[in-house]
Amino acid sequence: MDTDIGIKVIITGAAGFIGYHLSEALLKNQFTVTGIDNLNDYYDPRLKEDRIEQLLRYPDFTFRKVDLKNKADIDSLFEEFRPDYVINLAAQAGVRYSIENPYAYVDSNLMGFMNILEACRHYPVKHLIYASSSSVYGGNKVAPFSTNHNVDHPVSLYAATKKANELMAHTYSHLYGIPTTGLRFFTVYGPWGRPDMAYYSFTKDIIEGKPIKVFNHGKMERDFTYIDDIVEAICKLVGKPPEANAEWDERTDDLSTSFAPYKIYNIGNNKPVQLMKFINVLEEKIGRQAEKIYIDMQPGDVLRTYADVSDLEKDIGFRPNTSLEEGLGKFVDWYKEYYNVK
């Protein structure tokens, strides 16, 4: 990626999994990055702190501990840094946790995103990119999932908040001309990942000789997407803000575009993998068999995710393609090093 030195980016959720990797990639490409995060304890804060420690090695990285729902702090940050671009990755994650603690999602995913939109309105930016999720496809049956499909049937509050983010972004794109791009991520995995994700907890339990819980008796498919593919796609999209189409017509035009400067993309590996195959590859990379407990589907889960990434390929010439074998191998190597597993 060719850039002019000193382009300023605010990345929210910079201590998170995707935020950490994206911050590092942009710093390597001479961006000036201000990372913000509230370092909450949804999972081990030490992992978040260690990610930030890695980023602080770069002279053009600044970290601020800020909570998105604190409007005054967000406004102050934008006033100080005047970013060219904003990438909003901060969110309360997790489908199952949204059933236990719904208000955490209202605070972070709705109020927090509202504060980002308002800041982008009052301190105009060239492009706001924000994380959506494959979970917005909810109970959809037609696969692969296309950004041209209706997504009005979420099956978790987490998914509903992500759909709400897309609607909120569209409104601000229309009213204030803010170019916004929403990214529907599909099951992201890799080094420095999230401990609440299945691949991470499976690895921990297999190494420690504990049984793993296999939901829906293994009869599920996921479009597992390696972190480097996610980051490459975002880097290619940063300098490509969407343009308004004044002639847009929902009867004939793509629903992921608009009469406003607004766009939605899927970012997925576009190769669904059966859960049992995923576990088998993980066992092979760890070098140990897992003891399995087969249990029923959990509320809020879906049977299958499968990304149509034709728009991504058309607009930036990129299609995620890291194989599961390569990606899980790199994750297991990182895990063993990070946790000093012999």
Side-chain angles (χ1 to χ4, degrees), residues 67-70 74 88 105-117 168:
D67 196 309
L68 284 199
K69 65 178 183 285
N70 189 322
I74 295 297
N88 186 68
Y105 294 76
V106 174
D107 286 346
S108 181
N109 301 7
L110 298 181
M111 285 302 302
F113 190 55
M114 182 68 194
N115 289 337
I116 291 295
L117 288 170
M168 294 161 73

Side-chain angles (χ1 to χ4, degrees), residues 9-211:
V9 185
I10 285 179
I11 296 179
T12 74
F17 173 33
I18 299 174
Y20 157 68
H21 283 281
L22 179 63
S23 295
E24 185 165 62
L26 291 178
L27 287 162
K28 286 177 177 176
N29 280 284
Q30 260 109 50
F31 281 76
T32 297
V33 177
T34 300
I36 69 175
D37 205 291
N38 67 358
L39 300 174
N40 69 28
D41 61 359
Y42 171 65
Y43 60 78
D44 186 357
R46 285 177 301 177
L47 183 59
K48 299 178 182 182
E49 290 160 3
D50 287 346
R51 293 181 187 132
I52 293 298
E53 192 176 314
Q54 296 289 313
L55 294 175
L56 287 169
R57 296 176 304 165
Y58 294 88
D60 291 329
F61 179 75
T62 302
F63 178 68
R64 293 292 170 85
K65 185 178 178 181
V66 173
D67 196 309
L68 284 199
K69 65 178 183 285
N70 189 322
K71 184 179 186 305
D73 284 354
I74 295 297
D75 288 346
S76 173
L77 197 76
F78 274 68
E79 170 74 38
E80 180 181 355
F81 289 101
R82 302 283 176 150
D84 299 294
Y85 300 99
V86 175
I87 304 172
N88 186 68
L89 300 173
Q92 179 56 62
V95 168
R96 292 176 194 135
Y97 187 63
S98 68
I99 293 168
E100 299 167 30
N101 192 359
Y103 286 97
Y105 294 76
V106 174
D107 286 346
S108 181
N109 301 7
L110 298 181
M111 285 302 302
F113 190 55
M114 182 68 194
N115 289 337
I116 291 295
L117 288 170
E118 276 288 288
C120 290
R121 170 192 172 192
H122 293 293
Y123 303 94
V125 298
K126 295 176 181 175
H127 193 187
L128 165 62
I129 294 177
Y130 62 95
S132 184
S133 167
S134 63
S135 66
V136 300
Y137 291 104
N140 286 17
K141 297 286 193 291
V142 177
F145 297 159
S146 167
T147 52
N148 212 31
H149 291 165
N150 178 289
V151 288
D152 288 337
H153 300 88
V155 296
S156 69
L157 182 67
Y158 170 70
T161 64
K162 289 300 188 178
K163 164 71 172 177
N165 285 170
E166 294 178 3
L167 296 173
M168 294 161 73
H170 183 273
T171 304
Y172 270 65
S173 291
H174 167 60
L175 291 175
Y176 308 113
I178 303 167
T180 67
T181 297
L183 306 177
R184 295 175 180 169
F185 298 136
F186 282 69
T187 316
V188 190
Y189 73 100
W192 293 98
R194 274 175 36 207
D196 62 313
M197 296 288 282
Y199 72 92
Y200 204 117
S201 58
F202 282 175
T203 300
K204 180 177 187 293
D205 289 341
I206 293 169
I207 286 173
E208 294 177 1
K210 297 175 182 175

